[in-house]
């Protein structure tokens, strides 16, 4: 019913800037609210998204999630908050 992702501190975008939990949260919120319909449907299954550190983010799932939900979240494209 929940998952925490830990981002490799060495992870970088193509411009060399680091990937942070803020970027993941921004991506989640953007895709949940403005993504393709299939993305919006799946990302709305998260009841809560909380940054737990500079390189970690925790998602708690609400009703309707299944075992595949975690895998779909793991494949979420991460967008640079600074670039947008």
């Amino acid at each position: 019913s929940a998952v925490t992702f830990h981002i490799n501190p060495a992870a970088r975008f193509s411009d060399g800037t680091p990937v942070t939990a803020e970027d993941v949260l921004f991506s989640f919120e953007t895709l949940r609210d403005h993504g393709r319909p299939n993305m919006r449907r799946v990302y709305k299954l998260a009841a809560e998204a909380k940054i737990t550190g500079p390189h970690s983010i925790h998602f708690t799932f609400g009703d309707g999630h299944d075992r595949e939900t975690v895998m779909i979240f793991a494949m979420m494209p991460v967008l640079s908050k600074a670039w947008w």
Side-chain angles (χ1 to χ4, degrees), residues 16-36:
T17 59
V19 178
T20 67
E22 285 285 339
D23 294 312
V24 176
L25 182 61
F26 168 76
S27 301
F28 162 71
E29 291 172 343
T30 300
L31 296 171
R32 178 196 63 200
D33 298 339
H34 306 289
R36 295 187 317 258

Side-chain angles (χ1 to χ4, degrees), residues 1-5 28 42-50 57-63 65 69-70 73:
S1 62
V3 64
T4 300
F5 293 104
F28 162 71
V42 172
Y43 296 142
K44 285 183 180 180
L45 295 175
E48 181 183 30
K50 180 172 59 172
I57 185 164
H58 181 84
F59 294 97
T60 303
F61 301 112
D63 295 336
H65 75 280
T69 305
V70 173
F73 270 68

